[in-house]
């Protein structure tokens, strides 16, 4: 294995990445910005030094000694944060929703059980959506599968790189399950039916784990899944693969909490429109929730209690929350949506955490990703002002230590037609 | 002589609707009410009257000049974003009986008994207006039973009307109002080439769409070009399957409307001739009868010469003494609700709104409009509008679009965030629309994004200009700018008090007034308003 490919392989598992030793690594120093980090007070006149892919120093201006080779970026009057993360997108796997040939976000099958499907297989680092998301401060996204009851495995993509290997920090991020609005997927199931089948799947996986050699699909599997799917479910049963359940109704949330507890699943909940109703149970179970901040009003019969202060109430109850747009082309709206969460009562620092550090913690990538910390990858956004405010914009964006272009296909179109 | 006298049983059925409201003058148009002098014009009994085409005699409710029971209020101390492109840094607004009676700088003068609202440090804007909503026809919650916005049984359904489907208890309405939106146009969906009639509503609580209807607002006509119709029907192997089929379908529909217009013109001419002939014959008969009686009397009284009397009596004997029989009236053309709607669009009584994304699709629609002689009031979505903004500005076609939607289908691939700002810069008519029950709750934010995208690209836009995109410009597109869209004396007191700069993501619509009545107050108890959300 070459040094390069070994590094890429290490990068793919994220947490264990160590920078390859190099001579004369170029350094970038972002100086005099106000640095906002989860769990810290704002640091005015900060200096953040990037070397290679990582943050190597965070200091006050007075404690910084510039070296001659440093590239200095003036952040005076600016705000520096981690790059934003939307954990629930289809960026890289869905180019144009209504053109079937342009997306790779679902396993083409009638079977509702698709645990072995990894959406990473379809990730296209040349997608036009990537630059559009970057321009509004996103540096990483969760890439999620769609369709079915067990939809498959999501991936974590950093919005940089020429190959999937370079972009994907985690190819098997979590197993996604839809226990939600049946119109969103093609599982064709109601909640009770979904829970029934899910339990059956977990039973099958347990049977399989206990006797892999003796397992026969026809004889042992109620839901008719094969060994490749079961291997993935076994990882979930062993707590090695997180399970994201998309669910809204309060009663269903409680059922899923019980299911996860009974089966030892590392559970993450998504959507969670009525989470506020059972926030104490969520806090007690220490289950993180990914919330859509604009979800308000009875959009369907499983989300009759959806309200805009859901994120605020969950946070106040002690639940770890991340925010998501649920969009791909407009995942760039994440900062506006975070602003709306603040408008609805979520404290500003909690909102920043929810779009930067919390997604990394929730998915176990906090060794490399999240709030700016020495040793982590340098995924940073320099803003003209409050990142959630509509008047602000990204001044500079860094992903894995590299300053990336803010040009998009759209800026080119503007220039052509202005 | 009234046309009613000539209507036989056979024709009465056909003319029933046309004549249902004899009070409606045939020259009624949308817009401000006719002057009192017009209304009082005496009817000339000798004038021949002919039934008008049904689409020209549709009753339009008058827009009320005042609202009974609406209190007098003076708002003081706020920044006023007027809606007409201007701004008053610290001003006052006076509202009496639901109408704005004064707007200006400084504290202003409070009418006797007026409620004084100190709104210092806040911003007042006109109520926001959305040209593109499906609230009520695709209401919350999403359910099979709630799919009332797309009559996907034929590609051309000009006869259907959104108001017939609007569910006034859609929980989305109150949420839109709480975001500062006071007026929306609810359209049929875009599955069809011609989707039907749109209706304009005020977001006031009501059990019925009629109770929400913006009195006096003209209907809109919803048309769609591009991918949607050809996908919906093409997938069924029906027409249209291509953009060619789209245009053929639309041309065919408008030709039917033009034919109906021609039939009505022909009917009116022949009716006019028939009635004129009968009137003339009756008058002639009356004159002859009178003449005869005069002559007979003269002969009887021996005041006429005997030789004349002999001649007259000979001619009296030859002429029939019977009065003229009216000729059988012709039947008016058959009713055709769809063609009548399109005819109204051609005559400008129904305003045309076209869902269109690509520049070339919009150009085809303009060619269709030229061919069929109708005006397009607004292109909706119009993501490519920036590419042909000079043409759109010259033709006074407004552009209703989003701040940042793009890419969900191929015809939406070239959307850019500077679209509205470029329309603005070129002298066109930019409008921020939502097409979303989520977006309509934060039109201020959406306008802000579009404004800032323009500013960051070097296009200078003031706050006062950008607020037009969600107030005066949509009011114009909906034909209601005489009544709403700006803080102007005489207009409806539809206004929003924002707790801070409305272009901030953190801004709340603190108080929302419609017709001078406070319909939303932030934090006040009373939600929910929809019966659907009633809970034990």
């Amino acid at each position: 294995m070459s040094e390069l490919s070994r590094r890429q392989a290490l990068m793919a598992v994220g947490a264990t990445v160590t920078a390859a030793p190099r001579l004369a690594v170029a350094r970038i120093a972002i100086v005099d910005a106000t640095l906002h980090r989860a769990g810290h007070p704002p640091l005015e006149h900060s200096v953040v030094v990037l070397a290679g892919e990582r943050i190597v120093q965070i200091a006050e201006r007075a404690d910084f000694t510039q070296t001659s080779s440093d590239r200095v970026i003036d952040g005076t009057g600016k705000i520096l944060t981690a790059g934003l993360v939307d954990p629930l997108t289809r960026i890289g796997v869905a180019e144009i929703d209504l053109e079937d040939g342009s997306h790779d976000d679902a396993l083409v099958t009638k079977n509702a059980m698709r645990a072995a499907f990894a959406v990473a297989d379809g990730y296209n680092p040349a997608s036009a959506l990537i630059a559009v998301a970057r321009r509004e401060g996103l540096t990483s996204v969760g890439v999620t599968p769609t369709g079915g009851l067990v939809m498959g495995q999501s991936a974590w993509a950093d919005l940089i790189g020429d190959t999937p290997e370079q972009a994907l920090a985690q190819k098997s991020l979590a197993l996604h399950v839809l226990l939600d609005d049946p119109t969103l997927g093609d599982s064709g199931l109601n909640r009770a039916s979904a829970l029934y089948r899910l339990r059956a799947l977990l039973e099958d996986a347990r049977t399989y784990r206990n006797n892999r050699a003796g397992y026969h699909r026809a004889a042992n599997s109620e839901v008719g899944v094969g060994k490749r799917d079961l291997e993935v479910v076994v990882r979930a049963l062993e707590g090695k693969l997180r399970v994201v359940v998309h669910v809204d109704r309060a009663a269903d949330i409680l059922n899923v909490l019980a299911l996860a507890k009974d089966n030892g699943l590392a559970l993450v909940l998504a959507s969670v429109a009525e989470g506020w109703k059972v926030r104490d149970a969520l806090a007690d179970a220490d289950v993180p929730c990914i919330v859509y901040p604009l979800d308000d009003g009875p959009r369907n019969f499983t989300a009759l209690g959806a309200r805009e202060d859901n994120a605020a109430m969950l946070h106040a109850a002690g639940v770890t929350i991340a925010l998501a747009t649920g969009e791909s082309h407009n995942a760039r709206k994440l900062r506006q949506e975070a602003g709306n969460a603040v408008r609805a009562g979520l404290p500003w620092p909690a909102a920043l955490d929810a779009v930067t550090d919390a997604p990394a913690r929730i998915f176990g990538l906090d060794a490399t990703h999240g709030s700016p910390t020495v040793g982590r990858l340098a995924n940073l956004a320099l803003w003209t002002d409050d990142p959630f405010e509509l008047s602000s914009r990204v001044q500079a964006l860094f992903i894995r230590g590299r300053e990336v272009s803010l040009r998009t296909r759209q800026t080119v179109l503007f220039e052509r037609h202005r | 002589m009234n046309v009613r006298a000539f209507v036989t049983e056979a024709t009465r059925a056909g003319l029933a609707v046309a004549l249902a409201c004899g009070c409606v003058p045939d020259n009624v148009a949308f817009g401000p009410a006719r002057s009192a002098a017009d209304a009082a014009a005496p009817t000339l009994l000798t004038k021949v009257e002919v039934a008008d085409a049904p689409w020209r005699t549709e009753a339009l409710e008058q827009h009320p000049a005042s609202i009974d029971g609406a209190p007098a209020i003076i708002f003081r101390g706020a920044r006023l974003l007027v809606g007409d492109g201007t701004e008053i840094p610290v001003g006052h607004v006076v509202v009496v009986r639901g109408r704005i009676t004064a707007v200006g700088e400084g504290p202003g003068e409070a009418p006797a008994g007026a409620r004084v609202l100190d709104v210092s440090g806040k911003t007042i804007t006109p109520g926001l207006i959305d040209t593109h909503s499906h609230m009520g026809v695709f209401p919350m919650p999403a359910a099979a039973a709630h799919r009332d916005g797309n009559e996907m049984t034929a590609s051309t359904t000009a006869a259907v009307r959104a108001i017939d489907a609007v569910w006034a208890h859609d929980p989305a309405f109150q949420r839109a109002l709480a975001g500062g939106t006071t007026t929306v146009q609810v359209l049929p969906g875009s599955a069809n080439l011609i989707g039907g009639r749109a209706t304009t509503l005020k977001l006031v609580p009501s059990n019925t769409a009629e109770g929400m209807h913006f009195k006096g607002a003209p209907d809109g006509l919803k048309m769609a070009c591009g991918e949607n119709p050809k996908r919906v029907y093409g997938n069924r192997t029906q027409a249209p399957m291509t953009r060619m089929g789209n245009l053929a379908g639309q041309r065919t529909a408008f030709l039917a409307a033009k034919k109906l217009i021609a039939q009505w013109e022909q009917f009116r001419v022949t009716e006019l001739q028939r009635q004129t002939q009968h009137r003339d014959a009756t008058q002639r008969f009356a004159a002859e009868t009178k003449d005869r009686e005069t002559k007979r009397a003269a002969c009887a009284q021996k005041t006429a010469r005997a030789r004349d009397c002999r001649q007259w009596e000979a001619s009296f004997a030859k002429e029939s003494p019977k009065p003229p029989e009216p000729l059988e009236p012709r039947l008016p053309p058959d009713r055709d609700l769809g063609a009548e709607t399109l005819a109204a669009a051609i005559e400008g009584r129904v305003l045309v709104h076209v869902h269109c994304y690509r520049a070339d699709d919009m150009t085809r629609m303009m060619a269709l409009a030229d061919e069929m002689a109708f005006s397009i009031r607004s292109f909706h979505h119009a993501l490519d509008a920036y590419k042909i903004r000079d043409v759109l500005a010259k033709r006074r076609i407004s552009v209703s679009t989003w701040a940042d939607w793009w890419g969900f289908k191929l015809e939406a691939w070239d959307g850019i965030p500077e679209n509205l700002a470029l329309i603005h810069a070129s002298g066109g008519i930019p409008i921020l629309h939502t097409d979303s029950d989520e977006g309509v709750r934060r039109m201020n934010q959406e306008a802000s994004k579009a404004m800032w995208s323009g500013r960051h690209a070097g296009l200078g836009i003031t706050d006062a200009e950008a607020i037009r995109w969600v107030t005066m410009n949509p009011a114009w597109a909906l034909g209601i700018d005489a009544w709403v869209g700006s803080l102007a004396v005489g207009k409806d007191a539809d206004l929003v008090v924002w707790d801070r700069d409305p272009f901030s993501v953190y801004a709340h619509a603190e108080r929302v007034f419609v017709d001078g009545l406070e319909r939303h107050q932030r934090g006040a108890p009373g939600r929910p308003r929809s019966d659907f959300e009633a809970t034990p």
Side-chain angles (χ1 to χ4, degrees):
Chain A
M1 187 182 270
S2 72
E3 178 62 22
L4 184 65
S5 60
R6 191 139 64 101
R7 281 188 60 218
Q8 286 164 352
L10 285 168
M11 202 172 294
V13 292
T16 59
V17 174
T18 50
R22 275 194 197 170
L23 296 174
V25 172
R27 299 205 329 164
I28 300 173
I30 305 165
V31 302
D32 266 336
T34 300
L35 176 67
H36 288 267
R37 290 170 291 177
H40 295 267
L43 182 64
E44 292 181 12
H45 304 293
S46 67
V47 176
V48 176
V49 183
L50 290 53
E53 294 189 322
R54 302 195 175 250
I55 296 169
V56 294
Q57 187 183 4
I58 295 176
E60 292 194 38
R61 185 76 168 91
D63 301 333
F64 171 63
T65 311
Q66 189 180 331
T67 63
S68 60
S69 61
D70 287 353
R71 180 184 161 211
V72 173
I73 292 174
D74 181 15
T76 307
K78 306 288 191 294
I79 286 179
L80 185 63
T81 70
L84 309 187
V85 184
D86 186 335
L88 300 178
T89 78
R90 292 178 297 127
I91 286 180
V93 294
E95 205 70 356
I96 299 170
D97 292 328
L98 289 182
E99 295 298 330
D100 288 344
S102 80
H103 44 93
D104 302 276
D105 51 349
L107 184 65
V108 180
T109 174
K110 296 259 187 243
N111 196 332
M113 301 296 186
R114 310 169 184 185
F117 174 65
V119 78
D121 285 338
Y123 188 78
N124 171 23
S127 165
L129 281 67
I130 290 171
V132 172
R134 282 198 308 231
R135 190 172 169 80
E136 299 289 333
L138 275 76
T139 53
S140 304
V141 294
V143 184
T144 57
T146 185
L149 167 59
V150 175
M151 300 187 285
Q153 300 155 62
S154 58
W156 179 293
D158 291 337
L159 299 180
I160 194 171
D162 298 325
T163 67
E165 289 296 330
Q166 288 168 357
L168 297 173
Q170 177 58 268
K171 287 184 181 176
S172 179
L173 187 68
L175 185 63
H176 285 247
V177 175
L178 180 73
L179 199 85
D180 190 12
D181 177 10
T183 62
L184 293 176
D186 52 2
S187 57
L189 300 170
N190 59 46
R191 272 70 54 194
S193 170
L195 272 174
Y196 172 87
R197 293 203 190 187
L198 215 47
R199 284 198 196 95
L201 176 69
L202 292 166
E203 280 298 315
D204 287 354
R206 207 171 280 111
T207 305
Y208 171 72
R209 184 180 57 180
N210 293 339
N211 183 8
R212 277 179 163 89
Y215 184 90
H216 295 287
R217 181 197 293 219
N220 299 108
S221 173
E222 184 171 357
V223 289
V225 298
K227 293 184 178 181
R228 297 175 63 255
D229 285 316
L230 291 171
E231 284 291 350
V232 175
V233 180
V234 165
R235 281 173 57 210
L237 277 176
E238 292 172 348
K240 294 173 184 164
L241 178 65
R242 286 170 179 75
V243 179
V244 178
V245 180
H246 298 247
V247 59
D248 280 324
R249 199 166 60 176
D252 302 326
I253 293 169
L254 296 175
N255 284 336
V256 171
L257 289 181
L259 181 81
K261 192 178 176 192
D262 293 348
N263 290 280
L265 304 178
L267 180 66
V268 178
L269 294 181
S271 196
V272 212
E274 293 189 343
W276 61 273
K277 290 186 176 178
V278 292
R279 55 194 183 276
D280 291 337
L282 288 165
D284 289 347
D286 199 18
V287 170
C289 293
I290 305 172
V291 176
Y292 302 122
L294 305 187
D295 198 1
D296 180 49
R299 70 177 140 77
N300 64 36
F301 279 93
T302 61
L304 292 178
R307 48 190 286 176
E308 62 187 355
D309 54 358
N310 188 30
M313 293 170 83
L314 289 170
H315 169 75
V319 178
T320 297
I321 56 161
L323 303 179
T325 63
E327 304 218 22
S328 299
H329 297 84
N330 267 355
R332 61 179 168 184
K333 280 176 65 177
L334 184 62
R335 64 194 192 92
Q336 182 194 3
E337 300 205 10
N340 277 276
V342 173
R343 179 177 176 270
L346 185 67
W348 193 94
L352 181 68
D353 177 61
V355 293
T356 54
D357 203 64
R361 294 199 306 275
I362 288 170
F363 288 106
L365 290 179
D366 45 329
T368 49
H369 291 74
S371 206
T373 304
V374 170
R376 280 182 178 167
L377 293 171
N379 292 350
L380 298 166
L382 185 65
W383 305 87
T384 56
D385 202 343
D386 175 356
F388 303 153
E389 193 49 280
L390 305 167
S391 55
S392 65
R393 60 174 162 160
V394 174
Q395 188 86 11
L397 192 73
F398 305 86
I399 304 179
R400 294 190 185 166
R402 279 178 52 194
E403 183 172 7
V404 295
S405 167
L406 296 174
R407 281 169 65 80
T408 70
R409 191 171 168 280
Q410 296 177 3
T411 62
V412 174
L413 284 170
F414 171 75
E415 285 154 14
R416 285 168 74 109
H417 290 276
R418 70 179 302 167
Chain B
M1 191 177 298
N2 193 292
V3 66
R4 286 168 197 273
F6 291 94
V7 176
T8 65
E9 285 300 321
T11 58
R12 190 166 286 133
L15 286 172
V17 171
L19 297 172
C21 181
C23 58
V24 177
D26 63 6
N27 64 340
V28 72
F30 67 86
R34 296 191 313 144
S35 72
D38 287 346
T43 306
L44 298 173
L45 294 176
T46 54
K47 190 176 139 193
V48 171
E49 290 181 17
V50 177
D52 212 336
W55 64 88
R56 305 195 82 218
T57 57
E58 281 183 339
L60 281 179
E61 304 140 301
Q62 297 286 315
H63 192 73
S66 64
I67 302 295
D68 291 339
I73 310 169
I74 182 165
F75 299 85
R76 280 182 170 148
R79 170 195 187 207
L80 309 180
L81 289 172
V82 178
D84 62 359
T86 67
E87 172 174 351
I88 297 173
V90 181
H92 65 275
V93 180
V94 180
V95 172
V96 177
R97 287 167 63 81
R99 300 292 173 259
I100 295 171
T101 57
V103 180
E105 291 180 12
E109 203 168 309
R115 185 178 163 202
V116 179
L117 288 180
D118 179 0
V119 283
S120 301
K122 304 180 190 301
T123 297
I124 294 178
T125 67
L128 310 186
I129 301 170
D130 189 1
T131 60
H132 198 115
S133 180
H134 300 296
M135 288 189 291
V137 296
F138 286 120
M140 302 181 112
H146 276 169
R147 286 175 208 145
D148 277 323
N150 262 320
E151 183 59 42
M152 292 189 285
T153 50
S155 63
T156 301
T157 54
V160 310
R161 305 183 300 187
I163 197 168
D164 292 330
V166 167
W167 181 43
H169 278 285
D170 183 349
F173 283 131
Q174 72 198 61
R175 288 172 169 80
L177 181 75
T181 302
T182 54
T183 296
V184 299
Q185 175 173 244
V186 176
L187 307 110
S190 53
N192 290 353
L193 298 169
I194 297 174
R197 285 187 186 233
T199 189
T200 296
L201 306 176
K202 283 205 179 192
L203 299 186
V204 293
S206 179
N207 282 311
T208 65
E210 284 76 7
M212 302 175 74
H213 187 242
F214 191 119
K215 304 292 180 287
D219 280 351
L221 175 68
K222 172 69 180 290
M223 294 176 61
C225 61
E227 290 183 24
N228 286 12
K230 79 190 189 87
R231 181 182 65 252
V232 169
Y233 293 94
N235 285 348
R236 303 178 191 171
T237 328
Q238 292 172 8
M241 188 179 269
T242 64
R243 283 181 159 84
M244 298 184 288
N246 283 354
L247 263 295
Q250 284 158 338
R251 293 180 76 208
T252 302
F254 272 97
L255 287 173
K258 290 180 86 72
K259 183 177 178 188
L260 186 65
I261 292 172
Q263 286 173 334
W264 267 95
E265 282 170 4
Q266 188 182 38
F267 169 69
R268 282 175 57 81
V269 167
T270 52
E271 265 298 284
L272 190 68
Q273 287 172 346
R274 183 182 67 78
Q275 291 182 34
T276 305
Q277 281 170 13
H278 181 66
R279 183 196 63 186
D280 292 350
T282 305
Q283 286 173 352
R284 203 162 50 241
F285 173 74
E288 286 168 5
T289 304
K290 192 179 171 192
D291 179 56
R292 186 181 293 128
E293 281 162 7
T294 306
K295 286 170 177 168
R296 278 190 172 136
C299 293
Q301 290 165 15
K302 309 279 189 198
T303 55
R305 292 191 306 181
R307 193 180 62 182
D308 289 345
C309 287
R310 280 195 299 278
Q311 273 183 8
W312 292 342
E313 272 164 22
S315 73
F316 293 164
K318 272 189 274 179
E319 286 172 17
S320 162
K322 283 186 187 168
E325 286 285 327
L327 299 168
E328 263 308 293
R330 292 194 172 209
L331 287 172
D334 287 343
R335 295 297 306 272
D336 179 335
L337 298 177
E340 286 167 17
T341 292
L342 300 184
I346 289 170
E347 293 186 358
R349 294 159 202 283
V350 163
L351 305 183
V352 179
H353 296 267
V354 191
H355 154 123
C356 229
Y357 286 86
R358 249 166 51 177
D360 49 356
D361 283 339
M362 285 186 268
T363 307
R364 294 320 307 156
M365 286 296 114
M366 288 187 271
L368 175 77
D370 288 350
E371 179 188 354
M372 300 300 168
F374 66 88
S375 296
I376 297 169
R377 195 73 158 196
S378 195
F379 278 122
H380 289 228
H381 314 335
L383 292 192
D384 274 5
Y386 66 95
K387 299 181 184 179
I388 52 169
R389 58 190 184 274
D390 50 339
V391 178
L392 297 170
K394 197 172 163 190
R395 284 177 168 253
R396 307 300 293 156
I397 299 176
S398 60
V399 174
S400 296
T401 190
W402 303 281
D404 52 12
W405 288 24
W406 74 287
F408 37 90
K409 49 185 169 173
L410 192 49
E411 64 188 2
W413 191 238
D414 285 358
I416 65 173
E418 296 85 1
N419 194 17
L420 273 175
L422 284 167
I423 300 298
H424 170 85
S426 64
I429 307 170
I431 294 170
L432 187 289
H433 79 354
T434 75
D435 193 12
S436 153
D437 68 23
E438 176 270 303
V440 72
R441 301 169 194 180
R442 42 187 69 83
M443 291 183 73
N444 59 315
Q445 292 179 23
E446 299 303 308
S448 181
K449 282 190 291 184
M451 175 181 78
W452 281 105
S453 293
R455 286 181 180 171
H456 292 323
L459 302 164
I461 303 157
T462 65
D463 288 2
E465 287 166 339
I467 208 74
R468 280 188 71 119
W469 303 352
V470 285
T471 56
M472 197 59 184
N473 290 355
W476 176 83
L478 302 182
I480 53 176
D481 48 318
W483 304 305
V484 292
S486 63
L487 304 174
V489 172
K491 286 197 176 181
D492 300 1
D494 294 4
L495 50 88
V496 185
V497 180
W498 301 91
D499 65 344
R500 69 193 81 191
D501 176 7
F503 294 108
S504 165
V505 75
Y506 305 119
H508 286 277
E510 208 165 67
R511 302 180 126 160
V512 183
F513 293 80
V514 181
D515 286 322
L517 296 168
E518 187 159 11
R519 295 300 195 176
H520 168 75
Q521 190 177 346
R522 190 180 168 223
R527 275 180 92 183
R529 196 173 79 199
S530 162
D531 281 352
F532 182 77
E533 292 187 270
T535 46

